[in-house]
Amino acid sequence: MAKIINLQAFKDFFRSGQIGGIILLVCVAISLFIANSSYAQDFSDFLSTDFGFTFGAQTYAFTVSAWINDALMAVFFLLVGLEIKREMVEGELSSVKKASLPVVAALGGMLVPAFIYFLFNKDQDTASGWGIPMATDIAFALAIISMLGKSVPTSLKVFLAALAIVDDLGAILVIAIFYTNEVHFDYLLMAAGVMALLIAFNFFNIKQLFFYLIPGVFLWYFIHHSGIHATIAGVLLALTIPTNATNVESPLEKLEHLLNGPVNYFIMPIFALANTNITFQKEMISGLVSPLGMGIIAGLFIGKTIGVTLFSWIAVKLKLGSLPSRSGWKHIIGLGMLAGIGFTMSIFISLLSFSDELHVTEAKFAILCASVISGLVGFIFLKSINKKRAIAKV
């Protein structure tokens, strides 16, 4: 007998994402306007301002930018992690075949772009940026696919969410191994202790959310200070929160309902506002046709599309996985295009890759162009599939 699944939290997640996606794009436009206006320096100074609190003899302060990118985005990753876990327990990712496909697709979406970038930048002083086109920006990719509404199957949205989070976790590992100067194992050990406590709460079926959220704050703090990107704390916390395969609301689903509005209407727009402040310079245009610019654009748009589609095809042919329900290969191609929206994590890796400010500037502009191309072409391509089907039915 089929499981009775509570899909309301999932529906709310993407319904709110449609409106949130519009707000997100508006914030991107506002941020670009500010960055290229007389307010650019004031805005940059504001993002660099330290903000925090004092507890006893200790002062805990981070820049406004760090609070947004590391703290607020950890909440976004928590929401996505909750959705992925629930789908693994009761939905589209509940079988090994279905769960394995986004993992394999994400692997292709990382390896092929990195290889394309390497081909363009081999023996160049920009060769260290090979990790830039590897990541998919979950916030922007989900916002675009949410705006498609019923034009794409719900299962494809879940597949993109799973692929994007595996992709970003892969990028975080790349940062930790290849782009992190120092990892503090004492903080990692403390984070592991908190994680063990959360797993114990889950094992003993403790359902009160505060037993997870309060230790989750400490988990975030320890991971942040370990040198590993703090957003992974949100995913780890999500994995420990209890759920079920019935129509009775679980703690996980309850938390999803609570987070949907704040994430889509506040956290994602604020994140876009703070991270799209790219000041345009004339050197950026020539930088697009440089090995750096071409490697990023080709890696994100072409590499992601080829990597996701090819590795998905291989996985299906080898019977390692199966396509999401009600979707075809054209959907996977379009999804591969959307995966080329690398924006946030790509910009973050570019900051770690280069010491030359001009290279950083050129990389940011190339990432912006590649993400716009990937998002626009992917949106139009997926929208056209639904229109063709509607015409065929007539």
Side-chain angles (χ1 to χ4, degrees):
M1 188 168 115
K3 294 178 181 177
I4 301 175
I5 303 173
N6 182 0
L7 291 175
Q8 188 59 45
F10 177 70
K11 291 176 181 177
D12 289 345
F13 179 80
F14 285 109
R15 187 181 297 117
S16 60
Q18 292 178 40
I19 301 174
I22 296 173
I23 299 174
L24 186 69
L25 295 176
V26 170
C27 285
V28 169
I30 293 173
S31 184
L32 288 173
F33 171 78
I34 293 174
N36 293 277
S37 71
S38 58
Y39 301 104
Q41 189 58 51
D42 292 335
F43 188 56
S44 179
D45 291 341
F46 170 72
L47 293 175
S48 301
T49 302
D50 285 336
F51 174 76
F53 59 92
T54 300
F55 185 77
Q58 294 291 326
T59 298
Y60 304 93
F62 305 101
T63 64
V64 172
S65 180
W67 279 112
I68 294 170
N69 294 338
D70 292 342
L72 288 184
M73 285 306 288
V75 178
F76 171 80
F77 273 74
L78 170 60
L79 178 59
V80 175
L82 292 171
E83 176 57 32
I84 297 302
K85 177 180 178 179
R86 188 161 59 80
E87 288 301 312
M88 290 178 68
V89 171
E90 57 179 338
E92 291 291 334
L93 305 178
S94 57
S95 69
V96 174
K97 272 194 173 184
K98 289 181 179 180
S100 62
L101 186 62
V103 174
V104 175
L107 183 62
M110 290 186 283
L111 294 178
V112 176
F115 180 67
I116 289 177
Y117 182 93
F118 170 77
L119 291 179
F120 277 99
N121 291 271
K122 183 182 179 182
D123 299 325
Q124 301 285 330
D125 56 357
T126 52
S128 60
W130 57 270
I132 295 173
M134 292 180 69
T136 294
D137 192 299
I138 296 179
F140 284 91
L142 288 185
I144 296 298
I145 201 168
S146 294
M147 291 171 68
L148 284 163
K150 295 181 179 180
S151 296
V152 296
T154 299
S155 61
L156 197 70
K157 299 174 184 179
V158 177
F159 180 76
L160 176 61
L163 182 151
I165 201 164
V166 172
D167 186 289
D168 267 4
L169 287 174
I172 289 170
L173 288 176
V174 167
I175 291 169
I177 297 171
F178 298 102
Y179 291 101
T180 298
N181 294 325
E182 185 178 4
V183 176
H184 302 284
F185 289 99
D186 52 344
Y187 281 103
L188 276 183
L189 188 61
M190 286 186 280
V194 175
M195 192 66 187
L197 178 65
L198 291 168
I199 293 172
F201 287 160
N202 180 285
F203 179 79
F204 289 108
N205 199 30
I206 296 175
K207 295 183 178 181
Q208 290 82 358
L209 282 173
F210 65 84
F211 278 100
Y212 299 91
L213 297 182
I214 293 175
V217 174
F218 289 94
L219 179 66
W220 174 87
Y221 181 81
F222 293 143
I223 289 179
H224 182 276
H225 281 72
S226 72
I228 297 175
H229 203 266
T231 50
I232 196 174
V235 179
L236 293 175
L237 175 59
L239 295 177
T240 66
I241 296 177
T243 188
N244 54 54
T246 72
N247 59 350
V248 177
E249 186 180 56
S250 67
L252 183 146
E253 290 161 342
K254 181 179 179 180
L255 186 57
E256 277 187 286
H257 285 137
L258 292 173
L259 293 179
N260 272 322
V263 167
N264 284 286
Y265 302 139
F266 177 72
I267 291 178
M268 289 171 62
I270 289 295
F271 174 78
L273 193 64
N275 287 279
T276 326
N277 58 326
I278 301 173
T279 303
F280 296 121
Q281 302 174 22
K282 60 181 180 180
E283 293 86 358
M284 291 178 172
I285 304 300
S286 59
L288 291 179
V289 293
S290 68
L292 171 61
M294 294 297 291
I296 291 174
I297 294 174
L300 281 173
F301 179 59
I302 299 174
K304 282 287 185 180
T305 305
I306 294 175
V308 169
T309 306
L310 177 61
F311 275 58
S312 295
W313 182 82
I314 292 173
V316 170
K317 290 299 178 182
L318 293 178
K319 297 183 179 180
L320 299 175
S322 56
L323 289 179
S325 60
R326 297 177 55 243
S327 65
W329 286 111
K330 287 184 178 180
H331 288 108
I332 301 301
I333 293 172
L335 186 141
M337 294 175 182
L338 291 184
I341 305 174
F343 201 74
T344 310
M345 194 64 75
S346 294
I347 289 178
F348 182 70
I349 296 177
S350 70
L351 295 172
L352 300 176
S353 300
F354 310 123
S355 56
D356 188 329
E357 189 61 35
L358 180 59
H359 286 158
V360 174
T361 300
E362 291 178 348
K364 282 186 176 183
F365 188 52
I367 292 165
L368 177 61
C369 291
S371 296
V372 170
I373 293 170
S374 297
L376 187 60
V377 176
F379 180 89
I380 294 172
F381 184 82
L382 287 170
K383 193 75 173 178
S384 68
I385 296 173
N386 188 61
K387 287 183 178 180
K388 288 178 181 178
R389 287 187 172 185
I391 293 172
K393 288 181 179 179
V394 174

